[in-house]
Structures are given as C-alpha cells and as structure tokens.
C-alpha cells in the first residue's frame, strides 16, 4: 500500500469516527426481534447524515450498507428480514467513505442470553484484534500481526479463518498488503510509517474452513460452528498504532 501522510491519516480518522458513530447507533438496537434490515437502515442513515457514503453499497455489486453475519455466518451476509433471536451472535461489518477516504470496521455482539462459549468467542476475538493492533508497529512485519492474532486465538482452543484476510485501506477499500490472521514473526510486508491497514480476526469455535453460500456473498463455517469478527482500521505511525475507527 502507498503510505499516507499525517494529514491523510487525519482525514481517514474523520471517516473512521463517522463509521464508529454508525456502529454505536447499531449497537443500541441489537436486541431480540431487531431485523438485520433495520440495522442496515440505521447505519446508512448515520453515514449519509454525516456527509459520508456507505463503502459497501454497490461495491462489486453488494446491495447493502452492512454485512450482518449471524451465528455460523463469518462475513459478507446480506441484510434482510431475519429477526435476531435470543442466544444469537451477530457480527456487523461496515464501511464509510468520507471525502474520498475509506474506513472499515466490524464488531460482534451477543443477543439476549448466550451460551458461555459464545461470550468467550466474542471476547477472545476482540482480544485477538487488540493483540494484532499491538503488533502493528514500525519495524515489525505483517506476519507479526498474524502471529499475534493466531497465538491468542489458538491458546483458547479456537481457530482463525485462513482463507479471508485483512488488507490495506485508503481511497480504495482493498489495497495492498494482505493482512492474514495467521503468520510467522518477521515475515511478510514491512510495516512502514503511514501504512494504513484493516486488521480483522475472523474466529471460529470449530475448524477454520469456510463455504460460500448460494447467494454468492455469504461466507459460512464449513462445519456449522459459530464465528465472530472484530476489525479496526489502523495507521502505522512513529508513535505506535493509531486506531482510526473509534
């Protein structure tokens, strides 16, 4: 990816703050009975009211603002009339474009009373994101991020989805480099000052393999196990990782 200037990173952070506001608005509505279409409408309104454009809508033909992936759905689900049920977990991935700059972030929520392993999956995935971000420092490489994520996840007995990766972010939603959630320390693309990347652990209770649904978008776990997804857009700076989507 092309390194961004400090001013460009500030502009990306403004897009990230707008996206965070959309996520906060959705978080308040995640409850038993809420439809995924309702969450989609909330996110689109917040983004457009803030002067932005939904990054996902129309991207490669995707029809909506958010990807609300429920239970064994990993990523890229399409919103609709599905109503959240007690015990579900839902991962909400969303992107916003402001002044031409993209922000990308995902959060996972428990709906109602969930099984303890579901709560643990959500917490471990979020912690894996934190570990990945902590490794996003000058002098490290992309493999150091993947290794940090993978180590956290596998220590808890879960698995990282290997066939889907994080990515560079800028004026396009997907820029080099790829940022896998597994890796060897000291390998891969160097983390240089001004690089902006989306770090996004996708973590399964069961095996790492995934399947594409007949709709051509929704990715599910092959074994039907539950999956969680947390993501931030992060800039590599001389003073450490800067989270842009909060």
């Amino acid at each position: 990816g092309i390194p961004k200037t400090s001013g460009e990173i500030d502009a990306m952070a403004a897009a990230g703050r707008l996206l965070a506001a959309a996520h906060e608005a959705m978080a308040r509505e995640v409850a038993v009975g809420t439809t995924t279409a309702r969450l989609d409408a909330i996110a689109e309104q917040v983004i457009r009211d803030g002067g932005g454009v939904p990054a996902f809508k129309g991207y490669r033909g995707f029809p909506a603002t958010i990807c609300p992936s429920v239970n064994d759905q990993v990523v890229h689900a399409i919103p609709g009339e599905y109503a959240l049920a007690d015990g579900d977990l839902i991962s909400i991935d969303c992107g916003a474009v402001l002044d031409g700059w993209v922000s990308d972030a995902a959060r996972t929520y428990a709906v109602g009373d969930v099984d303890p392993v579901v709560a643990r999956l959500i917490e471990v995935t979020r912690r894996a994101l934190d570990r990945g971000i902590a490794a996003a420092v000058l002098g490290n490489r992309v493999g150091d991020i993947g290794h940090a994520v993978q180590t956290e996840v596998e220590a808890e007995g879960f698995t990282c989805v290997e066939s889907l990766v994080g990515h560079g972010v800028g004026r396009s939603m997907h820029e080099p480099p790829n940022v896998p959630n597994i890796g060897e320390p000291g390998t891969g693309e160097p983390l240089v000052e001004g690089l902006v990347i989306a770090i996004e652990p996708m973590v399964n209770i069961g095996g790492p393999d995934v399947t594409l649904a007949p709709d051509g978008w929704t990715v599910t776990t092959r074994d039907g196990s539950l999956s969680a997804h947390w993501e931030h857009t992060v800039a590599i700076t001389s003073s450490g990782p800067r989270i842009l989507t909060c």
Side-chain angles (χ1 to χ4, degrees):
I2 300 168
K4 313 299 189 283
T5 66
S6 60
E8 289 171 335
I9 290 170
D10 286 344
M12 292 189 73
R17 283 191 296 275
L18 178 58
L19 177 56
H23 270 295
E24 291 298 327
M26 287 187 284
R28 291 190 287 271
E29 296 291 325
V30 170
V32 174
T34 300
T35 66
T36 56
R38 165 84 180 129
L39 296 172
D40 184 73
I42 290 166
E44 180 166 10
Q45 177 150 22
V46 171
I47 291 168
R48 292 196 188 279
D49 285 353
V53 177
F56 295 1
K57 197 165 192 176
Y59 184 77
R60 297 179 183 168
F62 189 77
T65 295
I66 68 169
C67 296
S69 303
V70 178
N71 296 334
D72 67 336
Q73 297 174 338
V74 181
V75 284
H76 303 164
I78 298 170
E81 293 315 304
Y82 180 81
L84 296 176
D86 191 52
D88 279 351
L89 86 163
I90 180 172
S91 301
I92 304 175
D93 193 359
C94 189
V97 185
L98 186 66
D99 296 327
W101 294 103
V102 176
S103 56
D104 190 4
R107 304 181 184 186
T108 300
Y109 302 98
V111 183
D113 292 318
V114 298
D115 190 284
V117 72
V118 174
R120 191 163 69 89
L121 174 68
I122 294 171
E123 177 55 34
V124 168
T125 307
R126 183 171 189 166
R127 206 160 63 224
L129 172 59
D130 291 342
R131 294 284 161 85
I133 292 170
V137 295
L138 289 177
N140 271 0
R141 291 174 175 263
V142 164
D144 293 294
I145 296 174
H147 181 73
V149 170
Q150 180 180 10
T151 302
E152 181 68 33
V153 167
E154 292 180 354
E156 295 288 342
F158 299 140
T159 61
C160 295
V161 175
E162 299 177 11
S163 57
L164 299 164
V165 297
H167 48 89
V169 184
R171 291 202 177 275
S172 301
M173 185 143 66
H174 292 100
E175 297 185 353
N178 284 342
V179 184
N181 294 305
I182 58 171
E184 293 296 324
T187 64
E189 182 109 0
L191 302 179
V192 298
E193 187 166 0
L195 183 67
V196 179
I197 53 177
I199 302 173
E200 50 176 321
M202 290 155 272
V203 178
N204 300 344
I205 287 179
D209 295 339
V210 297
T211 301
L212 185 63
D215 65 17
W217 283 105
T218 308
V219 176
T220 61
T221 58
R222 183 165 292 172
D223 58 13
S225 66
L226 301 179
S227 187
H229 181 204
W230 282 89
E231 174 186 22
H232 273 307
T233 301
V234 180
I236 313 297
T237 79
S238 56
S239 53
R242 178 181 176 187
I243 300 171
L244 304 182
T245 41
C246 63

